Amino acid sequence: MKKALLLMTMFVSAGAMAQEPQSSTDTIVKPIIPVEKVGLLKNIDVLFHTRVGFESYFDNGTFTNSEFDNNQARIEIKGKIHDRVYFRFRNRYTQKSEIGTKDHIERGVDMAFVGIYLDPKTRLDIGKMSTDWGGFEFDLNPIEILQYNDILQHADNFLTGVGVTHTLDNGHSFGLQVLNSRTQHFEDQYQDFDITNIEKAKMPLAFVTNWRGNFFGGKFQTNYSYSYFQEAKSKVMNYVSLGHKYQDDKLTIMYDFQYSKEDLDRKGMVSYMVNNTLADGVKGHVSENVAYMDNWIKADYLVTPKLNLSLTLMTSNAYGKNIESTTSGTDRLRTSYGFIPTVQYIPFKDINVRFFVSYVGRYYNYSSYAKNNLGLENYNTGRLTIGFVAPLLIL
């Protein structure tokens, strides 16, 4: 009995000792994030951009299959770490993971740059960033875009370099970027084609200028840009994008015009059409002197605070010079059309979470020459989606 009492006394004493507070010098009670660093978190945002849906696919009007799809999944961290220094990082998890042979960063990384305010209205960005194309289609959060028009769908939209932006007192801003013209080396970019007759450029850079206009208290905005890309020796790309936006309490209308004239087919669409009849494994030549012209319009109407209706319309034309003959001039090879009606339900006032139903319809019409000589046929595709979309602010 005495032994039992002695053991109980020892256990109680040990328990009492274990409940004593740790010494203030013990590192266990120190916070993981030091107190002096906690203030930085006030200026840091962590976001999870997501779009998930149940999708049904159609080819030429015939149902093919249905499945759940993680359309978009991106993590973004951005914020100020100093009064004049900020950063932005965004990683895309629905993109094939491959390292760019030119910029040495994963293709899935949209942005990874540091910004410095040279003065309150002028900032300098350094790193991988979104190319300041102009237009509002590319300006929107990618989770908002159910289908890009042809030019943006086939472009390198995130490139490494430096950029300067200056904002005026009236809200207008002007920008200039000097970037790598692509993420891959020349040989990797055109690996599907025979490029032995083309000399690569020693300094393949891109120069992108941008003007963002602000009128009538922000109700009407413009987003214009001109870009010059050195793609190969004596081969350049000139790209113009003109964006327009009207917005009031309920209605938003955006219209973009884009035109890309390419000495060397950077988008590749014309090249693949022209080489369509080649046998498998045979490399054709990259098309030269091609052009692409896109029109894109999107209208949103907020019927009630919980119901939004949206309609996107788009067209795209692809041209090649002297495709039909040595003197045929500018030949149109293909026109594509697209329409995207969408109904969104917004259940909460204080968080941007939406459920939606949409249909993406695309029609591709080829010229008589493309049909008769290149073996191409008109076709159409459809995608019906019931889904969920949200840019979630986690921190």
Side-chain angles (χ1 to χ4, degrees):
M1 184 68 178
K2 290 182 179 179
K3 288 184 178 179
L5 289 173
L6 179 60
L7 286 172
M8 289 178 62
T9 302
M10 290 173 63
F11 279 121
V12 170
S13 300
M17 291 175 62
Q19 292 174 22
E20 287 294 319
Q22 297 287 343
S23 169
S24 59
T25 59
D26 194 322
T27 56
I28 294 177
V29 300
K30 289 185 178 180
I32 296 174
I33 301 175
V35 174
E36 62 271 17
K37 300 290 186 182
V38 171
L40 287 174
L41 294 178
K42 295 178 181 178
N43 298 316
I44 304 296
D45 289 335
V46 179
L47 301 100
F48 176 51
H49 304 279
T50 182
R51 189 176 79 235
V52 181
F54 182 74
E55 302 191 322
S56 298
Y57 296 90
F58 302 83
D59 283 337
N60 293 317
T62 301
F63 169 72
T64 58
N65 67 293
S66 295
E67 61 192 16
F68 285 101
D69 196 345
N70 292 288
N71 307 111
Q72 294 284 340
R74 305 181 191 224
I75 289 290
E76 180 173 357
I77 307 172
K78 62 180 181 178
K80 294 179 68 175
I81 54 177
H82 182 273
D83 287 343
R84 297 174 64 176
V85 179
Y86 70 99
F87 73 96
R88 187 173 182 184
F89 174 84
R90 190 172 77 194
N91 195 32
R92 182 176 14 162
Y93 297 98
T94 53
Q95 173 71 41
K96 182 179 179 181
S97 179
E98 56 181 18
I99 302 295
T101 55
K102 189 170 185 64
D103 60 11
H104 302 108
I105 192 169
E106 277 196 8
R107 187 173 177 80
V109 175
D110 291 340
M111 289 172 276
F113 68 88
V114 173
I116 301 172
Y117 282 94
L118 305 178
D119 61 48
K121 295 185 179 296
T122 306
R123 73 174 193 266
L124 173 69
D125 297 333
I126 307 168
K128 186 175 184 181
M129 63 193 76
S130 60
T131 310
D132 212 353
W133 291 133
F136 289 95
E137 181 185 13
F138 185 58
D139 229 27
L140 292 172
N141 189 323
I143 64 174
E144 304 281 352
I145 302 295
L146 298 172
Q147 177 66 57
Y148 282 102
N149 210 354
D150 287 348
I151 287 181
L152 288 179
Q153 184 68 32
H154 292 84
D156 260 342
N157 297 312
F158 302 96
L159 297 169
T160 299
V162 297
V164 177
T165 303
H166 180 73
T167 303
L168 304 179
D169 291 335
N170 57 12
H172 295 259
S173 68
F174 297 88
L176 171 65
Q177 293 176 321
V178 182
L179 309 164
N180 288 337
S181 64
R182 53 184 176 270
T183 61
Q184 305 281 354
H185 284 308
F186 184 73
E187 298 83 359
D188 300 314
Q189 184 69 47
Y190 295 99
Q191 60 182 328
D192 293 338
F193 302 98
D194 180 358
I195 54 173
T196 54
N197 62 331
I198 300 172
E199 185 177 348
K200 63 182 180 181
K202 294 181 179 179
M203 192 179 294
L205 295 178
F207 301 86
V208 182
T209 60
N210 179 279
W211 166 56
R212 295 175 187 269
N214 194 317
F215 303 91
F216 310 113
K219 283 191 173 182
F220 181 72
Q221 300 174 24
T222 57
N223 190 0
Y224 291 1
S225 76
Y226 165 72
S227 305
Y228 177 92
F229 277 59
Q230 183 73 49
E231 193 59 27
K233 186 176 181 180
S234 302
K235 306 290 183 184
V236 302
M237 179 180 79
N238 290 279
Y239 177 40
V240 175
S241 181
L242 308 176
H244 314 80
K245 177 180 178 181
Y246 169 80
Q247 183 173 20
D248 59 28
D249 293 339
K250 289 184 174 292
L251 178 66
T252 301
I253 299 177
M254 292 169 279
Y255 167 68
D256 290 350
F257 171 82
Q258 297 177 331
Y259 179 75
S260 181
K261 187 177 184 304
E262 306 176 8
D263 293 342
L264 197 65
D265 187 10
R266 182 67 177 82
K267 306 297 183 296
M269 288 181 279
V270 170
S271 297
Y272 283 109
M273 284 185 258
V274 170
N275 294 305
N276 182 63
T277 56
L278 294 178
D280 291 342
V282 178
K283 290 188 176 183
H285 292 285
V286 181
S287 295
E288 299 185 33
N289 297 315
V290 305
Y292 300 98
M293 183 172 66
D294 285 8
N295 288 278
W296 177 89
I297 186 169
K298 186 176 190 291
D300 287 275
Y301 185 71
L302 191 64
V303 180
T304 72
K306 292 190 175 184
L307 180 64
N308 185 68
L309 302 180
S310 176
L311 177 63
T312 300
L313 302 173
M314 53 191 175
T315 66
S316 181
N317 291 291
Y319 305 91
K321 186 176 181 181
N322 296 332
I323 297 292
E324 298 184 13
S325 71
T326 56
T327 59
S328 60
T330 300
D331 303 313
R332 182 190 66 84
L333 289 177
R334 189 187 76 183
T335 298
S336 69
Y337 305 91
F339 64 96
I340 310 174
T342 306
V343 178
Q344 294 181 335
Y345 173 63
I346 311 163
F348 310 114
K349 264 196 298 188
D350 53 351
I351 186 171
N352 190 8
V353 168
R354 285 159 287 159
F355 296 90
F356 70 93
V357 178
S358 71
Y359 183 81
V360 178
R362 300 296 306 274
Y363 289 79
Y364 300 88
N365 294 343
Y366 293 96
S367 67
S368 298
Y369 176 86
K371 293 177 183 177
N372 298 330
N373 298 85
L374 304 178
L376 297 167
E377 296 181 358
N378 295 347
Y379 70 98
N380 64 78
T381 62
R383 186 175 83 240
L384 176 65
T385 304
I386 302 172
F388 166 89
V389 60
L392 298 174
L393 181 62
I394 300 170
L395 177 65

